[in-house]
Amino acid sequence: MAYSEGHCPARTNLTPSRPRRAVARRLPAVPLAVLGLTLAGAALGLLGLGGEVPGGVPAAVPITLGLAMLVAAAGVCAHHLVAVRAGEQLFHLSGWRGAPRPRRRAAVRRPPRATAAPRRPANRPEAEQVPARVDTGMVRAAAKEFLELFHGENPEAGPLGPRLAAVMREIDATGTYWHTSEELEFGARVAWRNNKRCIGRLYWRSLQVRDLRGVSDAGGVAGHCFEHLSAAHNGGKIRPMITVFAPETPSRPGPRIWNEQLIRYAGYDQPDGRPLGDPRYRAFTSGLIRRGWRPPEQRGAFDVLPLVVETVEEGPKLFQLPAQAVHEVELRHPELPWFADLDLRWHAVPVISNNRLVIGGVSYPAAPFNGWYMGTEIGARNLADTDRYDLVPEVAERMGLDTSHETTLWRDRALVEINRAVLHSFNLNGVTVTDHHTESRRFLLHLEKEERAGRTCPADWSWIVPPMSGSQTPVFHRYYDTETRTPAFTTDPDSTTRALQADPPAFT
Ligand code: ARG
């Protein structure tokens, strides 16, 4: 449902050469020399002429970059600037250094027990902690915009005025502010509602929010992530859920989860050159091996990778997932008995774990969230993409299809059977899953409901249209509003790199 990975279901595995990714990756490396260009871009954006920069970066980005460059010119390195859009500008984190850490190979930890959140969250800043470098102007503006939205949509929360005044005082004193649990819950749900790539937004109000802002140590984060997996799995009746860990504050950055999702499978290079496991995570896997992870004696195609949690004090720490947190579905085909011999499986809950949740000028770098799977995410992408498990040729072969000509459409026919197997197996195991036809209709229903509520629903066609039989789904046959909104889930370029390369650490 919450389809994001990436983000959404359909397009998690775009090759890095796709323009939007390429642009995003280069952002932090933009040298000061382009300041002039950037400011010109900002001017365009301000005049409303910008639209979308090729590659999907919103017009607001040049504005923010321009501002970022000014900050940089004032003597602050822009490398770890964490926010990407105007109104979301947060704290500049490049100066963060943890306490000196011994340089040794990290041991893989046993799964920690999740502990209760402390009464006084370590991350909640004290008044005297606000460093001069915080641009409170942007935090104030973003907070105001969010509180207006919150009070506008939630009249029962009482009048805006007193809360706004209190938040402004808190920002002036500490450089940030602490959301009420109602604001946090609403903000997280609206971040889902605003996710242009997600086809499953009809249920945005049902997102369960676990408020763990008091947890900021690596062991605590890992333990609560494992609890998240079981709570979200819920015996197969999957619950959309988000766990929000400590925010960034001027005095301390929040924790980071390196993995793209809480459960991902290792990818290995074999001596014969053929990949084993998920090739998307080949570099990540070897990076973790270098950092001390020991893969199973007998390497397999579905070895669950350890979770990596990094904090400024502890550096990156690895945690093996406990078996009871890993729920998987073995794949069978409703009619083809040999399908079981392929020994395929997939995990039941997709929990995106390297996105940043941004609400009203406050930023939560560790906020893993999940919906349930749409079958094509697994059957038409993860198992079928040529740079993932690449199973189409083998399945076609076993089906006895004529693969000598593209015109037999053997690829399409094999793809359909892999996807039938995914839906069949999830259903058989009582694990929530949805098909792309049903989900497409639900999405259009969501659009109607949003319009009735006086809102438009931003959507990215290239992510919303399912990766198979697109034209058979109603979402194919129309255009969408594309503007970017906050609250939002965002992906920092450096977190994308870490999720694929296991490097470089966020705090070095
Ligand atoms: N596409 C990703 C995957 O295959 C999951 C993205 C989130 N999907 C979802 N249904 N919430 O693992």
Side-chain angles (χ1 to χ4, degrees):
M1 291 205 17
Y3 314 140
S4 167
E5 162 220 29
H7 305 68
C8 256
R11 303 280 188 272
T12 50
N13 315 322
L14 296 175
T15 54
S17 60
R18 264 183 89 114
R20 69 169 144 231
R21 298 261 160 132
V23 170
R25 282 224 177 100
R26 277 196 300 272
L27 283 181
V30 175
L32 288 177
V34 300
L35 179 60
L37 270 182
T38 310
L39 291 175
L44 270 183
L46 285 169
L47 290 171
L49 303 175
E52 294 253 313
V53 174
V57 179
V61 167
I63 304 174
T64 307
L65 268 179
L67 291 169
M69 293 303 169
L70 288 176
V71 174
V76 182
C77 159
H79 183 65
H80 282 298
L81 205 62
V82 291
V84 266
R85 280 194 296 274
E88 288 175 17
Q89 184 96 35
L90 296 158
F91 316 117
H92 149 74
L93 295 178
S94 67
W96 289 115
R97 261 166 226 292
R101 293 190 294 271
R103 291 213 168 268
R104 58 178 167 77
R105 279 158 64 94
V108 182
R109 270 131 189 107
R110 305 210 139 272
R113 286 172 62 90
T115 46
R119 279 246 180 77
R120 183 163 225 317
N123 259 52
R124 188 162 187 171
E126 304 285 352
E128 67 274 15
Q129 288 177 331
V130 59
R133 63 186 171 180
V134 174
D135 178 355
T136 54
M138 304 211 56
V139 181
R140 288 169 64 102
K144 180 165 180 285
E145 187 184 322
F146 168 67
L147 290 171
E148 283 168 358
L149 183 77
F150 173 69
H151 285 268
E153 289 192 33
N154 301 279
E156 72 285 357
L160 167 68
R163 174 64 179 147
L164 189 57
V167 165
M168 293 303 138
R169 279 196 304 273
E170 194 176 343
I171 294 173
D172 289 342
T174 68
T176 185
Y177 66 104
W178 199 254
H179 288 129
T180 64
S181 41
E182 291 78 16
E183 288 162 2
L184 182 72
E185 186 172 271
F186 175 76
R189 289 177 177 165
V190 174
W192 182 9
R193 183 176 91 192
N194 285 339
N195 189 334
K196 287 193 272 194
R197 298 172 169 188
C198 177
I199 195 174
R201 287 177 275 171
L202 180 60
Y203 305 103
W204 67 274
R205 284 179 196 280
S206 73
L207 182 69
Q208 292 196 15
V209 180
R210 299 171 74 222
D211 179 357
L212 288 161
R213 287 175 290 171
V215 176
S216 58
D217 64 298
V221 168
H224 285 290
C225 283
F226 303 150
E227 281 189 357
H228 178 132
L229 278 166
S230 294
H233 178 258
N234 186 31
K237 203 172 161 16
I238 291 172
R239 294 191 272 231
M241 185 171 280
I242 183 166
T243 300
V244 185
F245 293 110
E248 310 276 29
T249 75
S251 50
R252 184 177 185 277
R256 265 74 173 155
I257 299 170
W258 284 17
N259 312 54
E260 205 163 49
Q261 289 193 30
L262 296 185
I263 301 182
R264 295 277 84 179
Y265 297 121
Y268 309 104
D269 290 312
Q270 298 186 108
D272 66 0
R274 291 189 343 173
L276 175 66
D278 193 340
R280 181 173 175 82
Y281 300 110
R282 258 195 309 217
F284 189 73
T285 303
S286 37
L288 296 196
I289 291 174
R290 274 197 303 278
R291 289 179 182 278
W293 181 55
R294 296 235 316 274
E297 202 95 341
Q298 182 77 36
R299 297 182 179 192
F302 298 98
D303 295 344
V304 176
L305 286 163
L307 194 68
V308 188
V309 183
E310 181 183 0
T311 66
V312 71
E313 297 89 3
E314 301 162 283
K317 286 188 155 190
L318 278 60
F319 300 90
Q320 194 73 45
L321 272 71
Q324 66 272 20
V326 183
H327 305 273
E328 294 178 298
V329 174
E330 293 183 357
L331 302 186
R332 306 271 177 274
H333 190 279
E335 286 133 27
L336 306 170
W338 52 260
F339 200 94
D341 303 337
L342 296 171
D343 265 332
L344 302 176
R345 55 175 60 224
W346 204 259
H347 55 90
V349 198
V351 190
I352 307 293
S353 43
N354 71 335
N355 278 200
R356 176 182 291 279
L357 168 64
V358 182
I359 304 173
V362 180
S363 172
Y364 302 93
F369 62 92
N370 73 277
W372 52 74
Y373 263 120
M374 181 161 89
T376 52
E377 296 182 81
I378 303 167
R381 302 299 311 280
N382 302 346
L383 296 178
D385 279 5
T386 52
D387 57 356
R388 300 291 298 284
Y389 282 79
D390 193 18
L391 281 162
V392 169
E394 183 168 359
V395 169
E397 205 67 40
R398 297 226 192 193
M399 286 170 70
L401 300 179
D402 174 3
T403 58
S404 64
H405 294 95
E406 293 294 352
T407 49
T408 66
L409 298 188
W410 59 270
R411 294 183 198 277
D412 311 66
R413 295 178 63 189
L415 193 68
V416 168
E417 299 313 329
I418 298 172
N419 279 274
R420 287 184 68 205
V422 169
L423 292 171
H424 169 77
S425 309
F426 271 64
N427 284 328
L428 206 66
N429 283 266
V431 176
T432 312
V433 70
T434 180
D435 66 84
H436 46 299
H437 302 286
T438 306
E439 209 54 36
S440 295
R441 280 199 305 274
R442 286 182 184 155
F443 183 64
L444 292 191
L445 185 63
H446 170 65
L447 289 191
E448 275 171 34
K449 286 180 78 168
E450 285 297 287
E451 268 161 34
R452 274 205 301 277
R455 296 187 287 263
T456 55
C457 173
D460 178 341
W461 190 99
S462 73
W463 282 72
I464 295 294
V465 172
M468 66 186 283
S469 313
S471 67
Q472 282 296 299
T473 65
V475 292
F476 176 95
H477 301 276
R478 52 164 293 164
Y479 293 109
Y480 302 94
D481 288 313
T482 56
E483 88 190 43
T484 297
R485 305 249 173 83
T486 54
F489 291 110
T490 66
T491 317
D492 303 348
D494 66 329
S495 80
T496 306
T497 309
R498 267 194 301 279
L500 296 178
Q501 313 286 337
D503 211 41
F507 315 115
T508 45

